[in-house]
Amino acid sequence: MADRESERDKRRGSSERASGLLERMTLREKVAQLGGVWAASIIEGDHFSEASAKQELAHGTGHVTRIGASTLLRPRQSAEVVNGIQRYLLENTRLGIPAIIHEESCAGYLARDATQFPQAIGLASTWQPELIERVGQVIREQMRAVGARQTLAPVLDIARDPRWGRVEETFGEDPHLASRMGVAYVRGVQGDSLAEGVAATAKHFMGYGASEAGLNWAPTQLPRRELLERILPPFEAAIREADLASLMNGYQEIDGIPCGASRWLLDELLRGELGFDGVVVADYFTVSCLLSYHRVAADKAEAAARCLEAGLDVELPMLDCYGEPLLQAIESGRIDPEFVDRSVERVLRLKFELGLFENPYVDADAAPAVFDTREQRELARQVARKSIVLLKNEGGLLPLDRSVARLALIGPSGESIRLLQGDYSYPTHLEIIFGPVREGEEEAAKSEDTRSELLPGQRADNRDLLACFPPTVSVLAGIRAAVSPETRVEVARGCDIDSSSTEEFGEAVALASACDVAVVAVGGRSGLIRGCTSGEANDRANIGLPGVQAELIRAIAASGTPTVVVLINGRPLALADFFDDVPAILEAWLPGEEGGNALADILFGAESPAGRLPVTLPRTAGQLPLYYNHKPSGGRSQFHGDYADLSCQPLLPFGHGLSYTRFEYSNLVLSDSEVVADDRLTISAQIRNAGGRAADEVVQLYVNDRVASVTRPVKQLEGFVRITLEPGESRRVIFRLDMRRLAFYDCDMRYRVEPGEIAVMLGSSSEDIRLEGVVALVGEACEVRRADIAPTQVELE
């Protein structure tokens, strides 16, 4: 008892306490800390099962996997289960070590009754990090209320290929934008102290979003310079600026080495160069994949050895290769037990930092009070509204008059609440266990009694799944709430999401012809099961609208009725099939529970749209990969420029987004004409709302090193700010740029700043550059430390 009290002495540091506890542990107790157990294996009905725990938790455990995400439990029940787990561990295991309950939260805490925000690509489209930090705070509050203390988010992969199904989980294609959003998210989730926060887990380290042909888990063919300069920055920023607590490996290989077994990635780069001292957790089944998928290990013991020695601390979702195979390998001398001690110490240290030894329990009765409150729903609506991107608005069709006499809502996404959710939203994730969510009488009749082969779960009639959604506002409900009482809103589906049938076209066209305006809500179905058009493991070779939805749009537009297309989708789409046929297009991504209200706010002008694309929109999949910060020799074909059959230019550029007003940029001022490497250059300009209504503008700072010893991007984002201006109002935007941000790996892989001319550009997108200047970087070329480089600072006057 004296030893246990000593371990809980908060006056001792977490490392000292972890080391002291480690010395008292048996090998089997240590190994138990290196894995998890499925929540469903210790839950019976809606209660913690002590009988099951006697087998599953006999020696303790490092983690318990996803209570919220893999059950139908409500907050109070979930909290009671957590309390039961922790009480059992503290009272019935020799050392009384509490568990970390981990969950998912890409678009909000993935649990019943939790607030479902826009999917991550929508969060990125706000270009407003402070808003994303507030989302993180809600996630932290809700997770802590039920005792969940680690989240497997955010996704910091750089996404360059929209064929990849998981693009929607990312913050887009640009390292600077992803860095700012990632830092904000981590700060929101972790708070000022882990003892009062939730451990964030950045994933997937690294290059996972740049796979061959956009295929999930496929190899990454990126050279080391590209990995370090373009893929690494969001992870580095989260570590250095937000004190990231945990990190997860990528599934794929780089240059023949699976990421989960790469000493270069997980030891030399991550812990050596970046100084990361947190816990590395395995993406689910990573360790066993060395046998079954990558075929670089002959048995589970070899797989365990390779991953553990590389620095993969915790096997998730459950103890497998790190269990009996690891124990046997240690006993036979195949694995040095020091590697076990190294990882166990990290796990224990995180548990001490989280305060789990002092505060293992939560107030279950109080938990429901912090779930989906009025303030949280308003934040969800605000974020969704600010994420919407106005792609096109010919003739000023938008905003619509809320007193329009007759409005047709057409398309498969108009009435659905299911289609507003991303693959890592709670309602969508339930489909892994219980089968597809069915909406409407016809769909509900197709329901079956199902059981997942992917995740453990209980049988359920999936017609009950709609009851598990948080109150969600469809596009139809949002429009009806926004229009005048005299407006008639009529509905026709027109087609399914991914069907070849056009038999409902006639009804839809007839309705559109009889109305004053047609809103056509189309897109995809995000999720993890087959039948979805985006989401994890649902990669797609064709990135146009699925099924016959583009044909439906053209048919409605041909009726002569003014037509607004609303896109509700996770995958960045090639829109060329209908882009020229309609006057107005809104990109809403996967807007979550308040999506319908947010869209109505934009459609009818309650707020001017100001979302910006965090990705480049191609014309066709044949252009891929396509991204704005390509090298000088990229983005064109020599010597004619375009393809023989198509333009090389994107349909819409990175950073694009229109407004209901106009903004003027003027008076660019650079603080110096010459700077040295360790200077900060101040860049300022005046931004004026030249229109007749209040609106937001996203001011974007790009730079280009005109001549360098290795090829450099034609432009790269180095700063941005979203500002609100009243009609006629003007403000000065000031960027302070650390010139070491112009550093790159030279011919000898030295990280250096070189002298030369630097173009400085301010604009409203990567192609809509309004102001441009030049500064000379002078002095000798010099090496710099990545750790010394400051993020760009932004001020407003």
Side-chain angles (χ1 to χ4, degrees):
M1 181 63 70
D3 286 335
R4 184 172 289 191
E5 290 300 321
S6 175
E7 288 151 9
R8 286 155 176 72
D9 184 354
K10 291 191 289 185
R11 292 171 297 181
R12 303 169 67 203
S14 58
S15 293
E16 183 183 357
R17 297 168 75 188
S19 297
L21 181 54
L22 182 66
E23 292 176 359
R24 301 182 54 230
M25 298 175 73
T26 66
L27 180 59
R28 191 169 287 276
E29 287 169 337
K30 292 176 183 177
V31 166
Q33 293 297 313
L34 299 183
V37 298
W38 276 112
S41 69
I42 51 175
I43 295 175
E44 185 175 343
D46 59 1
H47 298 290
F48 168 69
S49 170
E50 187 167 330
S52 299
K54 288 179 180 178
Q55 178 177 348
E56 298 287 343
L57 302 177
H59 302 285
T61 187
H63 283 240
V64 172
T65 294
R66 306 202 320 176
I67 294 173
S70 57
T71 71
L72 301 177
L73 298 181
R74 308 198 90 135
R76 179 182 285 104
Q77 297 168 314
S78 185
E80 288 170 347
V81 167
V82 170
N83 285 342
I85 292 169
Q86 303 292 32
R87 185 172 293 108
Y88 183 88
L89 289 169
L90 267 65
E91 297 178 0
N92 294 280
T93 60
R94 189 177 72 89
L95 296 175
I97 301 172
I100 293 175
I101 315 297
H102 76 252
E103 298 282 4
E104 305 273 6
S105 64
C106 183
Y109 174 29
L110 206 162
R112 192 169 181 182
D113 295 339
T115 308
Q116 301 300 297
F117 293 97
Q119 183 74 308
I121 197 167
L123 300 182
S125 295
T126 68
W127 289 59
Q128 194 165 357
E130 60 270 24
L131 205 58
I132 282 37
E133 186 167 351
R134 289 176 60 194
V135 170
Q137 291 167 352
V138 171
I139 293 167
R140 165 164 43 106
E141 183 179 29
Q142 293 180 347
M143 288 185 65
R144 278 185 54 83
V146 297
R149 299 303 302 279
Q150 182 164 352
T151 179
L152 305 186
V155 175
L156 298 184
D157 297 306
I158 297 301
R160 288 180 163 181
D161 192 333
R163 292 175 297 181
W164 186 49
R166 303 190 76 172
V167 169
E168 66 182 58
E169 300 173 41
T170 76
F171 295 130
E173 73 181 45
D174 180 74
H176 182 73
L177 178 62
S179 295
R180 302 331 314 150
M181 294 298 175
V183 166
Y185 184 100
V186 172
R187 284 175 174 164
V189 167
Q190 293 191 171
D192 295 330
S193 165
L194 280 181
E196 302 299 326
V198 169
T201 308
K203 60 187 187 184
H204 307 82
F205 198 71
M206 71 178 182
Y208 182 46
S211 59
E212 287 181 351
L215 293 170
N216 202 37
W217 293 24
T220 294
Q221 304 292 357
L222 290 177
R224 187 163 295 196
R225 181 179 283 106
E226 189 75 357
L227 284 166
L228 295 175
E229 291 183 353
R230 296 287 145 208
I231 308 300
L232 179 62
F235 295 96
E236 181 176 22
I239 292 166
R240 298 200 194 279
E241 298 179 46
D243 199 19
L244 179 71
S246 183
L247 183 140
M248 176 182 280
N249 67 281
Y251 279 118
Q252 90 290 2
E253 67 164 78
I254 298 177
D255 196 23
I257 310 297
C259 292
S262 172
R263 290 192 184 190
W264 173 67
L265 275 179
L266 302 183
D267 193 12
E268 294 177 30
L269 178 61
L270 179 62
R271 298 197 183 276
E273 185 171 343
L274 300 187
F276 178 71
D277 64 352
V279 177
V280 177
V281 300
D283 207 341
Y284 288 8
F285 311 109
T286 285
V287 186
S288 61
C289 279
L290 265 60
L291 285 79
S292 60
Y293 190 72
H294 295 293
R295 292 187 281 181
V296 295
D299 54 32
K300 291 185 176 183
E302 184 180 356
R306 291 197 61 173
C307 290
L308 193 62
E309 291 170 5
L312 191 67
D313 298 313
V314 179
E315 181 180 26
L316 296 180
M318 58 186 179
L319 206 61
D320 180 19
C321 301
Y322 278 15
E324 289 300 326
L326 177 58
L327 286 168
Q328 294 169 12
I330 292 171
E331 292 169 0
S332 67
R334 292 177 67 183
I335 299 177
D336 188 336
E338 288 188 4
F339 290 111
V340 173
D341 288 353
R342 181 181 69 174
S343 290
V344 172
E345 191 276 335
R346 291 169 182 160
V347 173
L348 295 176
R349 177 157 41 92
L350 179 57
K351 291 184 176 184
F352 280 115
E353 290 170 349
L354 288 167
L356 286 170
F357 286 87
E358 293 77 33
N359 299 294
Y361 307 120
V362 294
D363 184 346
D365 290 336
V370 301
F371 276 74
D372 213 28
T373 65
R374 181 180 61 81
E375 294 78 12
Q376 291 165 351
R377 291 193 68 89
E378 177 51 40
L379 178 61
R381 181 172 181 169
Q382 182 184 14
V383 175
R385 187 168 57 227
K386 289 180 178 290
S387 73
I388 295 170
V389 185
L390 179 57
L391 302 181
K392 183 180 181 183
N393 193 24
E394 283 186 356
L397 175 59
L398 293 175
L400 301 175
D401 185 345
R402 62 180 297 271
S403 297
V404 60
R406 194 174 180 191
L407 182 150
L409 177 62
I410 296 167
S413 303
E415 296 182 85
S416 172
I417 62 172
R418 161 64 181 82
L419 297 179
L420 302 178
Q421 311 288 344
D423 67 339
Y424 272 74
S425 297
Y426 177 70
T428 305
H429 228 65
L430 287 180
E431 293 182 330
I432 309 172
I433 305 173
F434 303 120
V437 171
R438 306 295 189 184
E439 294 184 279
E441 294 182 6
E442 180 181 343
E443 284 289 294
K446 302 176 184 176
S447 295
E448 299 173 355
D449 185 30
T450 61
R451 185 180 179 90
S452 170
E453 296 180 359
L454 299 175
L455 295 176
Q458 51 195 328
R459 292 183 180 274
D461 184 335
N462 58 17
R463 279 174 291 188
D464 296 336
L465 296 186
L466 282 174
C468 299
F469 279 54
T472 301
V473 182
S474 68
V475 178
L476 175 61
I479 288 174
R480 282 183 168 159
V483 297
S484 70
E486 293 76 28
T487 299
R488 291 175 58 188
V489 179
E490 301 181 58
V491 181
R493 187 173 61 169
C495 64
D496 287 330
I497 286 290
D498 200 10
S499 169
S500 60
S501 174
T502 61
E503 63 182 33
E504 297 180 60
F505 275 28
E507 176 191 358
V509 171
L511 175 61
S513 299
C515 291
D516 300 288
V517 66
V519 175
V520 186
V522 292
R525 183 185 182 96
S526 173
L528 284 84
I529 64 173
R530 270 307 187 198
C532 293
T533 63
S534 71
E536 185 173 2
N538 281 304
D539 314 310
R540 198 172 176 95
N542 183 345
I543 58 169
L545 272 172
V548 294
Q549 293 180 94
E551 294 176 41
L552 175 65
I553 293 170
R554 293 196 298 270
I556 300 300
S559 71
T561 300
T563 301
V564 180
V565 173
V566 172
L567 299 169
I568 298 175
N569 58 285
R571 184 186 309 283
L573 296 170
L575 310 177
D577 285 349
F578 62 86
F579 190 83
D580 292 335
D581 297 294
V582 295
I585 305 174
L586 285 170
E587 174 61 82
W589 303 113
L590 297 161
E593 64 182 46
E594 282 290 321
N597 281 332
L599 268 163
D601 290 340
I602 299 297
L603 281 168
F604 297 99
E607 184 167 317
S608 177
R612 295 292 188 269
L613 289 175
V615 291
T616 300
L617 292 190
R619 298 173 186 274
T620 176
Q623 293 175 280
L624 302 177
L626 183 68
Y627 41 91
Y628 86 95
N629 52 355
H630 58 77
K631 297 298 183 66
S633 60
R636 56 181 172 159
S637 174
Q638 289 295 351
F639 40 76
H640 293 303
D642 287 329
Y643 294 102
D645 59 342
L646 190 73
S647 168
C648 280
Q649 298 304 306
L651 183 68
L652 293 171
F654 172 83
H656 172 79
L658 304 177
S659 174
Y660 292 159
T661 189
R662 295 185 302 108
F663 294 94
E664 294 177 348
Y665 288 53
S666 64
N667 195 19
L668 174 68
V669 177
L670 306 183
S671 60
D672 300 279
S673 60
E674 293 184 350
V675 291
V676 296
D678 59 357
D679 277 348
R680 287 199 182 188
L681 177 68
T682 300
I683 304 148
S684 66
Q686 207 75 20
I687 314 299
R688 178 176 175 268
N689 183 346
R693 58 179 299 149
D696 290 359
E697 170 71 341
V698 179
V699 184
Q700 302 165 38
L701 168 66
Y702 296 90
V703 299
N704 166 247
D705 190 340
R706 289 183 166 178
V707 179
S709 60
V710 298
T711 59
R712 303 300 300 140
V714 294
K715 58 173 70 81
Q716 61 193 60
L717 183 72
E718 287 297 345
F720 62 89
V721 64
R722 181 167 178 154
I723 59 173
T724 303
L725 295 175
E726 295 295 323
E729 184 182 6
S730 177
R731 297 196 72 178
R732 178 158 287 275
V733 175
I734 302 168
F735 296 97
R736 304 194 190 280
L737 175 68
D738 185 339
M739 296 308 291
R740 291 171 295 186
R741 297 193 67 80
L742 277 295
F744 55 85
Y745 288 90
D746 68 6
C747 297
D748 299 313
M749 289 301 291
R750 296 170 298 182
Y751 200 60
R752 302 206 306 171
V753 176
E754 291 182 352
E757 283 191 342
I758 307 299
V760 177
M761 297 161 275
L762 288 179
S764 192
S765 82
S766 60
E767 291 299 318
D768 185 8
I769 300 300
R770 309 287 182 87
L771 300 170
E772 185 169 356
V774 177
V775 64
L777 239 175
V778 298
E780 298 295 322
C782 61
E783 290 192 51
V784 299
R785 292 193 331 132
R786 297 179 70 121
D788 295 335
I789 302 172
T792 302
Q793 303 298 312
V794 187
E795 301 172 17
L796 297 174
E797 287 184 352

